[in-house]
Structures are given as structure tokens and as C-alpha cells.
Amino acid sequence: MTDPAERFARAEAARAHPVTTWFADTQRFDLDPFQVAGCHALEEGRSVLVAAPTGAGKTIVGEFAIHLAMRAPGDKAFYTTPMKALSNQKFRELQEVYGETEVGLLTGDTNINGNARIVVMTTEVLRNMLYADSPALRGLRYVVMDEVHYLADRFRGAVWEEVIIHLPPEVRLVSLSATVSNAEEFGDWLDTVRGDTAVIVSETRPVPLEQHVLVRGDLLPLFDDRAGVATAQVNQELMRIRSFTGSRFDNNRRAQQMRSQPSYEATRRRPQRGGTRPVRPSNVHRIERLDRPEVVQLLGRANLLPAIFFIFSRVGCDAAVQQVRRSGVRLTSREERDEIRQIVDERTRTLHDEDLAVLGFWEWRDNLERGVAAHHAGLLPAFKEIVEELFQRKLVKAVFATETLALGINMPARTVVLEKLEKFNGEARVAITAGEYTQLTGRAGRRGIDVEGHAVIQWTEGLDPQSVAALASRRTYPLNSSFRPTYNMAVNLIDQFGRPRAREILESSFAQFQADRAVVGLARQVKEAEQSLAGYEKAMACDRGDFVEYAELRRRLSEAEKLNRADRTASAKTRQHRQNEIQSLRRALQRHPCHSCPDRENHARWGERHAKLSRQVTKLRHQIETRTGTVARIFDRVVDVLTTLDYVERDDTGITRLTSAGATMRRIYGERDLLVAESLRRGLWNELDAPSLAALACCLVYEPRRDDASDPRLPRGAFRTALHRTQELWAVLDDIEREHHLPGSEAFSTGLAQAMHSWARGVALERVLEEADLAAGDFVRWAKQTIDLLDQLSLVAQPPVATTARAALDGVRRGIVAYSTV
């Protein structure tokens, strides 16, 4: 029976928060304490930050905010996400609850019912609405910022801070974050800029996670259950296997790899005569890894499907699906296969057969009917969405995915398998972080379906169970701001608030808040050091003279003697000069009043400590000076560049205002805002036709995955002239930025220009993908970013560029680029 006191407390809570109580009663499962606390805070009229593990159900608090908005006629709620895939998913979920007429979607390239009372959007869309003072903001009462920890993203993170700072004060903010170690610090900042904000942190997973290591055909627990959860002691059997497979052998092998030519890999492939081939000691054994089809079947026998296999390469994901296909493994029943085919055919019915053939559709559908699929950025977005839907319906049982799947999409599994604990970061293979491990394994365990989730690490040669346990034990990572002022941000702030107020606003950013927090710590160090210095001065006080001065002479003499001994290559003249300096210092030391002190050495030691600590204090003070007002100083440099280029000007009263060029820049968003604005002003693109403008816009947004040293084919005619002039302009702007102590920008890439030009001219998909040398999903992604820039040009540019941009939009937005399952 429930304790009477507990029943009374629940009754009181229900009376104090009736809306939360009603909302909780409508849910499929009982709300957790952190969810209830978040709803209570919102019902009390406060903003809220909820930090909880992946899959814990943070979005319930956001959904409650939407429920509150819908209770009051005329009130609105916006739900923002960092990715279009997440926006699409949330749009569909909210439509099921509130109906199609009440829910809208805005993702840059999609505009559905944008004036609805509930609008799902990417964070950038909301930022642009705030700067444009959009009429859609009227009546806005709640903004949900899902995955708010994205503000640490170095490319897009600033957008989150811009939104948080600029939202009208009456709007309540619901910030949903992964578990971060400095949630209280972030909450303090939110409280500063948004008003009363409740900080709710939960580190409890709703579905417990069991950690396993797959060795041969056995799933061994990572932790020793007998030792108790609190101790998190590594399973001793794994440590014995580690010893049995020979960590010494691994070290010896690495040493031989360094010494021998050819490499160890080459020696494994072919014998050498008289070579130094590593010999595995007789007591050391190799543990063979199971093939992927065998792992899938093992998990099936253990009732651990559906599973997500995280493989940190697209090629690896596709290869894994082919391995399972070739093995003949089939994970679905006849009824499930029929249902899969019906869903897939319905979702892809608007795509042309010739495009489906290029995309390998029929083999892909056959793999889905077997219950297996890949999921990565190279897939057509529509195909990814179908995989997600089938997995959520428990029709696809094994998905081989890159880590992008872990970024918030609602696609939980019973089991998550990690084949390796390292990935390629674009430059080298690096170990995954504790935060990444938590994010990946957080997909394991479906609330309301699974009693527990399972994380499976495949044994690899050299695996250290202690290191794996350390990854699995750390649940949090710090949230650090990546905020920096941009040209577009600067002109919008100056236009709305004026330059002095703009500086104040930027000083309220989380970036400056964190810097100031660091300054507080540095100031504390200075204060403690100054107290120590006072103690040192007392300890070295002498009636003969100043021991700080005496200690400094000794330091200078010691350094001069050390330099003289170390530098044997100096000329005779230089060495004579140094000898003279040393003799002079020695005489000064001997003549100093403190030299005759009977307690000289003791006093001198305190003097040396004083001098050393004084130098440290000087460095600390310099750090404080450089950190205070950091963001505002960068803003001043940005404004100086804008002034140099005549985007802003000072009037006779000293007030900074936008010029007509600055007014145009207000509506140009993106990394290349200054280059785009200046190109328009100089008329560099006036002679371009629609395909050529699409190709040039693509150059400004495209980022190759790796350094592309090849010399790509380029469209002919006016395109090449415009490209050359735009590249020259970039170089000029880069020089100006560096003169103003700004980092400048990377040169843009022309690698996709020919393919985008062909696509905008109506060339068939097969030929365009061949020219692009890209997967269909990658091409669609860059095409949609090209569309975003062309859309901006169609609105801000003057004829003929605006007219050409609209034609280019129509050329690019076709076929698989235009297709959407939303």
C-alpha cells in the first residue's frame, strides 16, 4: 500500500498543478520525477532547462509547453530542432495529436502551414524570423529548443545563443539538453538572460543499460555484478582474456612495426626471407571476430533484436548490409515482408523509375524486406526516413549506421553494437569520447517495450576492458559556447538596437558568461597569490636592504651564466660581451647591501619565490584583461570591417547606422554573408544565366569531405569570368579581415560546380551523380543548401540577379531534390 504521507503529498501536488496532473494522466506511461518537475515549472510560469540522458523522455516537457499554449486561444508555440530530419519527425508526431490544421513546418526548403499555432522549425529559421521581426512572432508564448547542447557546435552553435538572447521577454523557453556536466552553469546563464529558469538534471535512464563485450561467441558482462554497481569493477574474466591474448605481444608488435620495412601489415601478407616477422608467443592467442551475419544471428537467438550497429564509415555500413544479404540471413516473416513492400512502394511512388534504378532501389527494397538496412548521410533523405519508419515499426531488425543516427532521431533499439571504439575525424583515427559513447549507447532500450537496453562492444585485438569501462562510467561532458559575432549578426543588431546596446547584448552571450566565470576563477587566484606575496615579503624582510631586488640580480646572473654555458657556437665577440655582463652582475650582487646579511640565503630563497610568483600574477592579470569583453572586442573588429567596406557609417552625431548595402546584408545568412553581399553590390553575377548562378551559389556552400586536389571541370562562358572575379574578391576580403585581426575564411571549393550546373539544366540524375562523384544523399544535401542561398538571392538581390535566382531555384528544385515524404 502507498504510504499515507506519500498519498497526501501527491494530492497536494495535484491541487497545486492541475494542468500537469491532467496532462500526466493522458500519457501512455507514468511520468518520471524530472518530467513532472519540468511540467510544474512551466505551469508556474517559469522557463526550464531539462538535461537528461538520450531516450529519457525530455521531449514530454516540450510537449507540455505546447499543451499549455493550446489551452489559451491565440497563443502559439514553436518547436525548434537542429536538423531537418528531426523537424520532419516532430511535425508528423504533433500532427497526430493536434491535427493537420494546427501544426506547421518551416525548414528553409519546406513551408507547410507556416501561420499555424504550433510550428516546428529549424533553429536558423527562428533566428531569421527574430531579426526580420516577423508577424508570425505575435502571440508566441513558448519556444522549445530541442537538443540545445548543439550550441557547442562550432559551425552552427551561435544560432542557439542568438535565439535565446533575442526572444521577447514574455516568451517562456524550454531548453532540452543531453546530460552535460555544467548544466547548472548553463542554467545560471539562462536565468540571467531569460529570467526565472528552473534547472532540472536527471542522470537516470528510464530503461537500465546492460554493457557487454562480445568475445568469440559469448556476450560477457563488462562489469562484475558481484562487485556491486557502485564500484563499477571490470569483469575479471575480461581482464584474464586481455592477459591471455597478450598486451605484451601488442606492444612488441608495435615496436617491430616502427623498426621494420616493409610494414607489419605487409609482412603478414607475405613471408620474408631472413626477415624480422613478428612471432606470436606460444602462450598468446588471437581471438577471431565473428562475421556480421553471425553477430546478427547471435543477437537474434538471444532475443536482442532490433539492433543498431554503429560503424564509423559509410562504406562499412553498405558493406555490412551486403555481407548479411550474401549470407542469406532473413529476419522477417512473410507478413512483415508484405507490409514492408507496401510501405516502401507508397512512400516512393512519386519518384521516376529511371531515378529509382540509378539509386539501386530494388536491391535496397529487397534488403529492407530481409529486415536489414544501412543509415548514413549518403542515403537519399527519403530512403533514410523510410528506414527510420520501418525500424520504429519493428519491421527492420538490424540497421548499420554511422554516428549521425545518434543525433536525436527517435529510433531506439533493444541493442546497440559498437564494432570499434575509434573513428576517423577527417585527419586521423581517434578514440571516441565519453560523451560520444554515451550518445551512441543511449539508443539502447525502448521505453515501455524493453526491461533493459544492451550495449555490445566487439572484442578487437588490443582492446583494454579498463578503458572501455572508463568510457561507460562517465556519463557527462561539458557544454562550451562556440558563439562569435558575424557580419549578418552585427548589421541586424546595429539596425535594431544601435551599436552601444548591441555590444551590451553580445556581452550577455553564454560565451562571455563562461569567459567571465573563468575571470572570476583567475581573479581568485590573483587574490590568493597576493596574500602569499605579502607573506613572502614578511619572511624576507631585512634591515640591510631589498631582497626582492637582490633576488632579481641573482636570477639575472644565473640565466646569463646558463646561456653562456649552453651556447658554444657564439662568436668570440658575443662570448666576450656575455662575460663582461656576467662580471658586471657579479660585482652588482657583491656590492648590494643584502649580500652581507648573515641570514642571506634564507632571505634570498623567499625573494626568489616572491619574484617567481610575481611573474605568475602578471600573466594571470594579462589573461583577465584579454578575457574581459572578448565577444564585444570581436564585434568591434567586425564593425570596423563593415565600416571600411561602407556597410555601416557614423552620422554627424556619432551614431552608427546601416548604409543601403548594410540593409541588404541583414537578409543574407550563412558563412559567406560578406562575400555574397559584396558580390551583389559589385554586380559580379549580373551576366550569369540560371544554371551558372546555381553552380556559383553551390561553390559558396559546398564543403568537400576531404581535401580535393583534383582540378574539376567547370562550366564554360560567363560562369568562369564570374567565378574568377568572385575568387579575387574573396582574397581581397580575406586580407581586410586579417588586417582587422579577424581569422578570415577558407577559400571556397568548385568541386561540385559542373554537376550543379548540369542538374539545373535538367540533365539526368545518373549523369549528374557521375559528374559529382557523390552519393545521392550528399548531392541532395548540397542541392538544398544551394536552394537556400538562391532563395535569399531571389529576395535581396536587384534584377537581373533576383530574376535569375528564381529561375535557378526552379531548375535545382526537381526530381529527388524536390521529393519529400513529409
Side-chain angles (χ1 to χ4, degrees):
M1 283 184 64
T2 309
D3 181 83
E6 188 178 337
R7 288 204 304 274
F8 176 77
R10 285 183 181 176
E12 285 295 298
R15 273 194 291 274
H17 303 93
V19 185
T20 299
T21 303
W22 182 90
F23 181 78
D25 290 342
T26 65
Q27 301 305 305
R28 291 183 293 111
F29 40 77
D30 292 340
L31 297 190
D32 290 335
F34 84 90
Q35 295 169 321
V36 172
C39 293
H40 283 177
L42 287 170
E43 191 172 352
E44 292 162 6
R46 309 170 70 193
S47 292
V48 64
L49 165 65
V50 180
T54 301
K58 298 183 286 292
T59 55
I60 283 288
V61 181
E63 289 163 9
F64 180 68
I66 293 171
H67 172 73
L68 288 175
M70 296 303 284
R71 283 168 51 86
D75 281 3
K76 291 181 178 180
F78 289 170
Y79 196 107
T80 75
T81 75
M83 294 184 297
K84 293 176 183 177
L86 281 175
S87 295
N88 295 342
Q89 189 175 75
K90 203 67 200 176
F91 171 66
R92 289 190 291 264
E93 291 174 4
L94 290 171
Q95 275 190 326
E96 291 175 7
V97 177
Y98 295 101
E100 291 185 4
T101 59
E102 297 287 9
V103 184
L105 176 67
L106 297 172
T107 60
D109 59 348
T110 304
N111 185 339
I112 301 174
N113 199 17
N115 292 317
R117 292 180 63 196
I118 305 166
V119 185
V120 183
M121 62 186 69
T122 52
T123 319
E124 282 86 352
V125 169
L126 178 53
R127 185 270 312 273
N128 299 353
M129 290 171 70
L130 287 166
Y131 280 152
D133 195 21
S134 168
L137 296 170
R138 294 185 194 122
L140 182 61
R141 293 292 173 265
Y142 295 92
V143 168
V144 181
M145 300 195 78
D146 203 354
E147 309 285 337
V148 75
H149 52 272
Y150 256 77
L151 69 76
D153 184 271
R154 68 190 182 98
F155 297 110
R156 300 172 57 207
V159 176
W160 274 256
E161 290 190 48
E162 288 178 81
V163 168
I164 292 168
I165 291 169
H166 295 309
L167 275 173
E170 67 273 11
V171 175
R172 297 296 91 193
L173 185 66
V174 183
S175 304
L176 307 178
S177 170
T179 311
V180 293
S181 53
N182 59 335
E184 287 76 13
E185 179 187 43
F186 185 50
D188 288 346
W189 175 68
L190 289 172
D191 201 77
T192 302
V193 295
R194 300 296 320 157
D196 190 10
T197 301
V199 179
I200 297 161
V201 179
S202 173
E203 295 188 25
T204 305
R205 283 176 50 98
V207 181
L209 182 65
E210 295 290 322
Q211 313 258 4
H212 312 273
V213 178
L214 177 57
V215 185
R216 298 190 186 93
D218 295 331
L219 286 172
L220 301 180
L222 175 60
F223 296 107
D224 190 341
D225 296 336
R226 296 166 298 178
V229 177
T231 61
Q233 183 177 326
V234 177
N235 186 344
Q236 291 306 299
E237 187 173 352
L238 290 173
M239 298 306 296
R240 284 194 292 274
I241 292 171
R242 165 73 170 158
S243 175
F244 184 63
T245 55
S247 58
R248 285 183 186 172
F249 169 76
D250 293 329
N251 292 334
N252 291 340
R253 186 190 70 188
R254 276 192 287 272
Q256 291 196 35
Q257 279 181 283
M258 296 288 288
R259 290 194 301 264
S260 63
Q261 292 293 334
S263 68
Y264 171 70
E265 286 298 319
T267 64
R268 281 205 314 176
R269 287 193 292 270
R270 67 177 189 272
Q272 295 181 6
R273 285 183 229 162
T276 56
R277 178 170 181 169
V279 179
R280 185 182 294 273
S282 59
N283 65 334
V284 172
H285 299 265
R286 177 190 295 278
I287 292 182
E288 299 295 337
R289 286 167 61 93
L290 293 181
D291 289 337
R292 285 160 178 155
E294 294 176 296
V295 177
V296 171
Q297 290 174 308
L298 182 151
L299 295 178
R301 290 192 299 271
N303 196 28
L304 293 179
L305 294 178
I308 298 172
F309 292 71
F310 281 112
I311 302 171
F312 301 116
S313 110
R314 301 176 183 187
V315 173
C317 292
D318 292 333
V321 172
Q322 290 304 315
Q323 288 170 16
V324 175
R325 176 187 178 87
R326 286 195 299 270
S327 72
V329 169
R330 193 179 289 277
L331 306 173
T332 52
S333 65
R334 166 54 61 188
E335 293 75 17
E336 288 173 327
R337 290 196 288 277
D338 290 342
E339 188 177 355
I340 288 168
R341 177 166 291 215
Q342 180 182 350
I343 292 170
V344 172
D345 289 349
E346 171 61 26
R347 299 289 184 271
T348 58
R349 60 186 168 80
T350 59
L351 289 174
H352 300 300
D353 283 351
E354 57 269 26
D355 288 348
L356 291 176
V358 173
L359 298 168
F361 170 79
W362 287 278
E363 183 177 298
W364 173 75
R365 186 181 66 181
D366 183 63
N367 291 333
L368 291 175
E369 291 177 17
R370 291 171 181 272
V372 297
H375 188 289
H376 55 69
L379 279 179
L380 191 69
F383 284 16
K384 280 197 295 184
E385 290 171 18
I386 291 168
V387 171
E388 291 158 16
E389 180 180 353
L390 295 177
F391 194 80
Q392 289 163 10
R393 293 189 181 210
K394 310 182 196 65
L395 295 171
V396 166
K397 321 289 185 180
V399 170
F400 298 91
T402 55
E403 69 268 31
T404 53
L405 178 59
L407 301 177
I409 296 171
N410 181 23
M411 198 170 155
R414 177 164 294 170
T415 304
V416 163
V417 180
L418 298 182
E419 291 194 351
K420 293 180 180 177
L421 295 176
E422 62 177 22
K423 65 176 185 177
F424 185 72
N425 67 357
E427 296 177 358
R429 298 206 68 82
V430 297
I432 64 172
T433 65
E436 289 168 332
Y437 183 92
T438 301
Q439 190 88 350
L440 295 167
T441 57
R443 291 279 149 219
R446 299 164 299 175
R447 187 166 185 164
I449 301 174
D450 299 320
V451 177
E452 59 196 13
H454 299 267
V456 175
I457 313 302
Q458 281 199 266
W459 186 277
T460 55
E461 205 168 340
L463 184 80
D464 180 8
Q466 295 278 15
S467 299
V468 180
L471 275 179
S473 301
R474 292 203 299 273
R475 293 272 177 245
T476 60
Y477 50 94
L479 178 61
N480 293 314
S481 172
S482 62
F483 184 84
R484 60 179 178 81
T486 64
Y487 297 107
N488 171 272
M489 186 192 305
V491 293
N492 274 289
L493 288 174
I494 290 170
D495 186 55
Q496 286 194 29
F497 307 106
R499 184 170 180 173
R501 175 69 181 131
R503 286 182 103 258
E504 292 174 14
I505 289 170
L506 292 174
E507 286 180 330
S508 69
S509 66
F510 187 45
Q512 191 58 56
F513 186 84
Q514 287 191 306
D516 290 343
R517 282 276 175 108
V519 166
V520 170
L522 292 170
R524 188 181 303 115
Q525 291 180 49
V526 169
K527 186 176 180 181
E528 291 170 357
E530 286 174 340
Q531 291 172 349
S532 298
L533 286 172
Y536 293 172
E537 287 167 5
K538 190 174 181 181
M540 67 183 183
C542 179
D543 57 359
R544 304 288 177 100
D546 184 352
F547 260 96
V548 172
E549 189 180 275
Y550 183 74
E552 177 62 17
L553 277 172
R554 287 178 59 150
R555 184 188 69 80
R556 287 171 58 195
L557 175 60
S558 174
E559 288 184 356
E561 290 175 335
K562 191 185 298 181
L563 177 62
N564 195 48
R565 287 194 301 270
D567 187 6
R568 298 293 185 186
T569 60
S571 65
K573 185 177 179 180
T574 300
R575 292 184 64 79
Q576 184 59 49
H577 176 74
R578 287 176 182 166
Q579 287 289 352
N580 293 340
E581 183 185 8
I582 289 169
Q583 291 302 324
S584 175
L585 287 169
R586 283 175 179 164
R587 285 194 296 271
L589 195 68
Q590 291 166 358
R591 292 171 184 167
H592 197 281
C594 292
H595 194 67
S596 60
C597 174
D599 200 15
R600 180 183 67 198
E601 290 307 312
N602 182 43
H603 285 171
R605 277 194 298 273
W606 286 110
E608 288 163 3
R609 291 173 187 169
H610 185 283
K612 184 177 180 181
L613 189 56
S614 294
R615 290 193 296 274
Q616 292 175 0
V617 168
T618 301
K619 286 183 180 178
L620 288 171
R621 285 184 173 135
H622 178 68
Q623 288 182 44
I624 289 171
E625 289 170 6
T626 55
R627 292 191 181 209
T628 304
T630 306
V631 176
R633 277 202 303 278
I634 295 172
F635 171 73
D636 287 339
R637 294 169 189 167
V638 166
V639 174
D640 288 344
V641 170
L642 291 171
T643 304
T644 300
L645 294 168
D646 197 33
Y647 285 88
V648 299
E649 61 184 6
R650 282 193 171 191
D651 64 17
D652 296 338
T653 62
I655 295 175
T656 301
R657 301 186 188 280
L658 302 189
T659 63
S660 59
T664 299
M665 185 183 279
R666 286 182 57 241
R667 293 182 291 166
I668 299 173
Y669 304 97
E671 291 289 312
R672 307 278 185 185
D673 48 7
L674 181 60
L675 179 60
V676 171
E678 193 67 4
S679 296
L680 290 178
R681 186 165 67 165
R682 298 187 183 203
L684 302 189
W685 305 338
N686 290 359
E687 304 303 318
L688 295 177
D689 60 12
S692 297
L693 184 59
L696 202 114
C698 180
C699 292
L700 300 184
V701 299
Y702 175 59
E703 296 172 12
R705 293 185 69 201
R706 295 181 182 87
D707 291 337
D708 188 1
S710 63
D711 187 16
R713 287 178 53 224
L714 295 174
R716 298 181 182 279
F719 172 84
R720 295 195 181 186
T721 303
L723 174 67
H724 180 66
R725 293 170 69 189
T726 307
Q727 287 171 327
E728 287 182 334
L729 174 60
W730 167 81
V732 170
L733 296 179
D734 191 63
D735 288 342
I736 292 172
E737 288 178 306
R738 294 181 191 280
E739 285 169 10
H740 287 85
H741 307 290
L742 290 169
S745 60
E746 293 293 322
F748 51 87
S749 173
T750 59
L752 201 54
Q754 181 62 55
M756 194 59 65
H757 188 272
S758 297
W759 180 252
R761 285 191 294 118
V763 173
L765 176 65
E766 182 175 16
R767 183 175 153 197
V768 168
L769 291 182
E770 190 176 306
E771 286 180 341
D773 192 24
L774 285 178
D778 290 322
F779 178 75
V780 169
R781 184 170 73 257
W782 294 119
K784 290 195 172 185
Q785 292 203 32
T786 301
I787 285 172
D788 187 45
L789 178 52
L790 289 171
D791 190 43
Q792 292 179 44
L793 295 178
S794 72
L795 296 173
V796 304
Q798 298 296 317
V801 174
T803 308
T804 309
R806 283 189 285 273
L809 273 172
D810 294 336
V812 178
R813 194 188 281 130
R814 67 179 181 88
I816 62 170
V817 175
Y819 177 79
S820 172
T821 61
V822 172

